[in-house]
Structures are given as C-alpha cells and as structure tokens.
Amino acid sequence: MSENPAQKQSVERLPDQRSSLITDELNKILAMLQGACPEGAIISFDFDGRLHVHVDVHSFEDLLKVEGILPILGGGTFHDLTRGETPHRPFHHRLSAIVDR
C-alpha cells in the first residue's frame, strides 16, 4: 500500500509578523505634535497620496502659535501650511500641513 504524499508533509505556521512600521511612525509624529500643540488641540491625519495633518484649535491665538511652530518642528517635517474649515467643529480653527518623513 502506498502512502499519500500529503500525509508525509508537515507544514509549520510562521510566527505572526505584522508590521507596525507605519503605525509606529505615525505615533511618533502624533507625539511630536501633541507636545507642541496647545492643550485641547485635535490632531488628525489623512492620506491622498501624500500624508496631511490637521490641527484643530479653539482660539485664533492658538492657531497662530501652531502656525509658528509647525514649520520648524521635526526639522522641517511639516510644510505647505494652510488654514481651513473645521468639519463638524464650528467653533474651531484648522491648520493643515503636508508631512514629509
């Protein structure tokens, strides 16, 4: 009687090696921003082929502070700053920037 070749093979599972490289890098950027932005700032990201960060703050004075800090933070990581609308937050001011890292 011949043995089935499939019965002879033993396949071991590879260890789960999910890469967290992107998440780790985003968390580093987020921590850098949280340390530089006023308390209560809401920081979010979006990606459309380029990574964008949005910082929503309560006061116009806070917007000016963030606008002054962002270009020098992280050695020029944030550039092309723009002011814009804050979706679903009518009493906030938004500053957006492109992130190069």
Side-chain angles (χ1 to χ4, degrees), residues 28-39:
K28 287 178 190 174
I29 294 168
L30 181 60
M32 184 186 339
L33 288 165
Q34 287 171 331
C37 288
E39 189 174 325

Side-chain angles (χ1 to χ4, degrees), residues 36-93:
C37 288
E39 189 174 325
I42 300 168
I43 302 165
S44 60
F45 296 96
D46 72 58
F47 182 78
D48 64 358
R50 297 188 86 174
L51 182 61
H52 300 262
V53 65
H54 308 288
V55 180
D56 298 342
V57 294
H58 287 287
S59 71
F60 187 72
E61 291 78 19
D62 285 343
L63 177 78
L64 294 175
K65 289 176 189 174
V66 174
E67 198 171 43
I69 292 170
L70 228 49
I72 58 174
L73 192 63
T77 299
F78 308 98
H79 60 91
D80 293 342
L81 278 62
T82 58
R83 296 178 186 176
E85 299 288 319
T86 54
H88 312 294
R89 293 185 181 102
F91 299 107
H92 283 79
H93 304 274

Side-chain angles (χ1 to χ4, degrees), residues 16-30:
D16 191 12
Q17 296 178 340
R18 293 184 185 175
S19 174
S20 62
L21 185 64
I22 295 170
T23 303
D24 292 346
E25 190 63 24
L26 285 172
N27 279 323
K28 287 178 190 174
I29 294 168
L30 181 60

